[in-house]
Amino acid sequence: MAIRNIVKEGDPVLNKVCRPVERFDEKLATLLDDMYETMVAGEGVGLAAPQVGVLRRIFVIDIGEGRQDFVNPKIIKTKGVQEGSEGCLSCPGEFGITKRPMYVTVCAQNRYGDQFTINAEGLFAKAICHENDHLDGILFKEHVIRPIDPEELRPKKR
Ligand code: ZN
């Protein structure tokens, strides 16, 4: 595995619509492993392929409950609303309060091409929406209803 460079906001690669994965080969497995390692090193809970410069419909998520790879994901159902803070490894130091669905149902494939369906809620649902947006060239800022001053997130000194 290897840590890849994370593309930062301003790079046009982050505004492009990604293409589906067609080959479930060793190259895909390596990309998924590299993406996971890059996400962990960046202390993120999710990472999408365009964030490492690859315009394919792939993301990885780990909200602390284990790794999940998503290849060619499709959100097929959403329910409810949640508001909370959100950031992005491609937008370091920027945070905002977003509005996202509380529940999502997503269909995707794993690294071997096997189909699966996941019902996610809370942070997991938010992460799926955030990463899925990356595949259509959308950054979380489009969902921000109130920006957060990074100072607010730092521990206060007495
Ligand atoms: Zn992001």
Side-chain angles (χ1 to χ4, degrees), residues 22-42:
E22 283 153 11
R23 280 187 201 166
F24 294 83
D25 54 10
E26 201 54 43
K27 207 177 151 200
L28 173 66
T30 302
L31 173 63
L32 284 162
D33 290 343
D34 286 358
M35 283 173 59
Y36 183 72
E37 197 178 352
T38 304
M39 182 201 86
V40 170

Side-chain angles (χ1 to χ4, degrees), residues 45-47 59-66 68 70 73-87 98-107 118-134 140 143:
V45 297
L47 192 75
F59 56 77
V60 295
I61 289 178
D62 187 348
I63 59 161
E65 295 173 358
Q68 183 67 53
F70 297 81
K74 280 194 176 68
I75 294 176
I76 55 169
K77 211 165 92 185
T78 65
K79 210 179 104 187
V81 179
Q82 58 176 319
E83 283 182 24
S85 65
E86 201 167 319
T98 59
K99 228 181 207 179
R100 298 283 195 182
M102 181 57 90
Y103 305 93
V104 307
T105 303
V106 58
C107 289
I118 282 181
N119 293 304
E121 67 172 280
L123 177 58
F124 194 18
K126 177 158 75 171
I128 288 169
C129 293
H130 177 119
E131 302 311 333
N132 197 62
D133 273 352
H134 273 300
F140 81 100
H143 294 276

Side-chain angles (χ1 to χ4, degrees), residues 51 87-90 130-131 134 139-140:
Q51 293 181 276
C88 179
L89 290 174
S90 292
H130 177 119
E131 302 311 333
H134 273 300
L139 293 178
F140 81 100

